């Protein structure tokens, strides 16, 4: 296995009775990455994360965490990860300090190191001022920080966060997002969300999941990607000549006299178009890209029937 892959999941499937919650899902998390699982409710995100965290056995498929097979050696594999489930596993009747000491024990931190582990986790999660407070009396935002603190208390390589901002108010959401970004400096993080701007704000890569399958897996582009090219030609050739240029899949004539070329995923034929126009004397007067935002990609891939992004078709 490539050592840079901290999680390597292959062909994971999980059924609940007749429901196929996850089907043939493969996933890698690289060192230093913050990966976002994005998908509508019911897409299979929580089920995937539960399997990666070793809390739910896959119906089929395999998972390695830091090179260790979760099925064969769950304890050693799980020592490398911290997990915050959708319902934070915090005890309202304990203080923050008491709970984190308990969590440190559960994660196998030796007793001599527990106090310093608790101090470090509180510091990382901004919990210093509430250490003596009962968890049940804290705001939802602070309870979530406690949930994150228990996930990092043993300094795992991988942190798995299931919908970490759900139910929080906008200020709390901002704080938790910035906390996650900070975690990313020391840990590799995988988080789930059904909120697109959340993924764009904190993740370097996004996997869109729909109906238990990966339908998109790309770096989060801050830039819109090219989906159409608007082309103005004084002496336009026939559509076949334009479609022969790599990446052009469709040619439409607009009422303005310009052409709209539909572009294959991940292709950008603008340079080739400019060269062909110059070579063939087409009289190029306009050449511009129309972008497709991640939001458009998301809606396109998660509404209606399953559509798989071009870049994944070979793998599907
Ligand atoms: P997400 O986290 O993306 O909202 P889930 O992984 O929770 O999706 O759910 C995926 C599918 O599996 C849904 O159809 C859901 O109803 C079903 N499901 C999840 N957990 C269970 C369960 N314990 N028993 C039966 N069906 C379940």
């Amino acid at each position: 296995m490539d050592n840079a892959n901290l999680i390597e999941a292959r062909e994971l499937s999980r059924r609940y009775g007749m429901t196929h919650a996850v089907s043939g899902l493969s996933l890698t998390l690289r060192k230093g990455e913050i990966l976002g699982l994005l998908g509508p409710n019911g897409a299979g995100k929580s089920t995937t994360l539960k399997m990666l965290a070793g809390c739910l056995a896959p119906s089929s498929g395999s998972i390695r965490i830091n090179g260790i097979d979760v099925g064969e050696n769950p304890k050693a594999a799980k020592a490398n990860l911290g997990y915050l489930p959708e319902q934070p596993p915090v005890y309202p009747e304990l203080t923050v300090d008491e709970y984190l000491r308990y969590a440190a024990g559960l994660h196998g931190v030796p007793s001599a190191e527990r106090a310093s582990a608790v101090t470090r986790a509180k510091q990382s999660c901004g919990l210093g001022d509430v250490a003596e407070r009962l968890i049940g009396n804290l705001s939802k935002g602070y309870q979530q920080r406690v949930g994150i603190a228990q996930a990092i208390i043993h300094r795992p390589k991988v942190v798995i966060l299931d919908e970490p901002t759900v139910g929080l108010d906008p200020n709390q959401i901002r704080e938790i997002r910035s906390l996650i970004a900070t975690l990313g400096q020391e840990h590799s993080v995988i988080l789930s969300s059904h909120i697109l701007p959340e993924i764009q704000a904190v993740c370097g890569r996004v996997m869109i999941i729909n109906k238990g399958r990966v339908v998109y897996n790309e770096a989060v582009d801050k830039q819109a990607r090219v989906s159409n090219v608007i082309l103005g030609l004084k002496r336009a050739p026939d559509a076949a000549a334009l479609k022969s240029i790599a990446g052009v899949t469709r040619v439409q004539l607009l009422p303005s006299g310009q052409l709209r070329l539909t572009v294959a995923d991940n292709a950008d034929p603008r340079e080739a178009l400019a060269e062909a126009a110059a070579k063939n004397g087409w009289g190029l007067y306009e050449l511009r890209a129309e972008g497709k935002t991640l939001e458009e990609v998301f809606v396109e891939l998660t509404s209606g029937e399953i559509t798989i992004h071009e870049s994944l078709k070979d793998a599907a």
Side-chain angles (χ1 to χ4, degrees):
M1 190 191 88
D2 182 350
N3 285 332
N5 284 343
L6 288 175
I7 298 185
E8 192 153 313
R10 287 192 192 281
E11 294 291 320
L12 290 183
S13 295
R14 172 71 203 197
R15 288 184 309 275
Y16 297 107
M18 296 300 282
T19 307
H20 288 262
V22 172
S23 308
L25 184 148
S26 295
L27 172 156
T28 54
L29 178 72
R30 288 187 279 271
K31 194 158 180 251
E33 226 182 0
I34 303 187
L35 168 66
L37 291 192
L38 178 69
N41 287 325
K45 303 181 296 296
S46 285
T47 303
T48 301
L49 296 185
K50 279 179 198 158
M51 292 192 284
L52 296 179
C55 296
L56 181 73
S59 307
S60 61
S62 68
I63 302 165
R64 285 179 171 268
I65 307 286
N66 200 25
I68 305 166
D69 190 290
V70 177
E72 286 170 10
N73 202 344
K75 211 168 163 200
K78 282 158 80 168
N80 289 289
L81 64 86
Y83 172 46
L84 176 64
E86 201 170 355
Q87 304 295 332
V90 295
Y91 294 111
E93 66 280 14
L94 295 186
T95 66
V96 171
D97 266 344
E98 285 166 346
Y99 172 68
L100 291 180
R101 267 199 297 274
Y102 168 71
L106 279 186
H107 282 298
V109 177
S111 25
E113 293 167 27
R114 280 182 205 160
S116 59
V118 169
T119 305
R120 197 177 48 237
K122 280 190 299 189
Q123 199 173 14
S124 301
C125 297
L127 290 166
D129 293 341
V130 297
E132 304 298 327
R133 300 261 305 271
L134 288 180
I135 294 174
N137 293 338
L138 297 177
S139 68
K140 182 98 182 18
Y142 269 86
Q143 291 187 6
Q144 198 64 332
R145 290 184 195 211
V146 176
I148 294 174
Q150 67 74 31
I152 61 167
I153 195 136
H154 53 309
R155 301 179 105 173
K157 288 193 161 66
V158 177
V159 181
I160 298 177
L161 307 171
D162 195 353
E163 296 270 3
T165 62
V166 88
L168 303 184
D169 72 31
N171 285 331
Q172 294 167 338
I173 289 176
R174 262 208 348 260
E175 288 165 13
I176 295 294
R177 280 184 191 166
S178 91
L179 172 56
I180 295 168
T182 321
L183 290 185
Q185 294 164 11
E186 210 184 315
H187 311 264
S188 300
V189 181
I190 176 164
L191 64 94
S192 68
S193 178
H194 60 283
I195 305 165
L196 181 78
E198 176 139 308
I199 299 284
Q200 284 177 307
V202 294
C203 299
R205 184 158 61 96
V206 58
M207 286 182 86
I208 300 180
I209 297 189
N210 192 34
K211 298 179 183 165
R213 293 177 184 276
V214 178
V215 291
Y216 181 87
N217 180 14
E218 293 285 319
V220 171
D221 258 334
K222 305 291 179 215
Q223 306 298 316
R225 50 186 66 241
V226 175
S227 61
N228 294 310
V229 169
I230 302 296
L231 189 62
L233 298 175
K234 287 190 186 140
R235 294 171 292 281
D238 58 18
L242 293 167
K243 272 167 75 177
S244 70
I245 291 170
V248 176
T249 57
R250 185 164 172 242
V251 180
Q252 282 172 284
L253 182 62
L254 300 176
S256 60
Q258 293 157 313
L259 301 163
R260 173 183 282 129
L261 311 186
T262 307
V263 170
D265 286 322
N266 296 324
D268 185 352
R270 284 176 293 176
E271 193 177 337
L273 283 165
E275 276 172 12
K279 193 168 130 217
N280 298 305
W282 292 341
L284 175 70
Y285 65 88
E286 183 165 9
L287 178 61
R288 86 187 138 82
E290 284 187 325
K292 194 188 273 182
T293 63
L294 189 53
E295 183 172 359
E296 287 164 328
V297 172
F298 178 65
V299 170
E300 190 179 295
L301 294 178
T302 59
S303 50
E305 285 308 296
I306 290 192
T307 340
I308 294 182
H309 189 256
E310 202 66 33
S311 62
L312 293 170
K313 277 195 179 142
D314 288 343

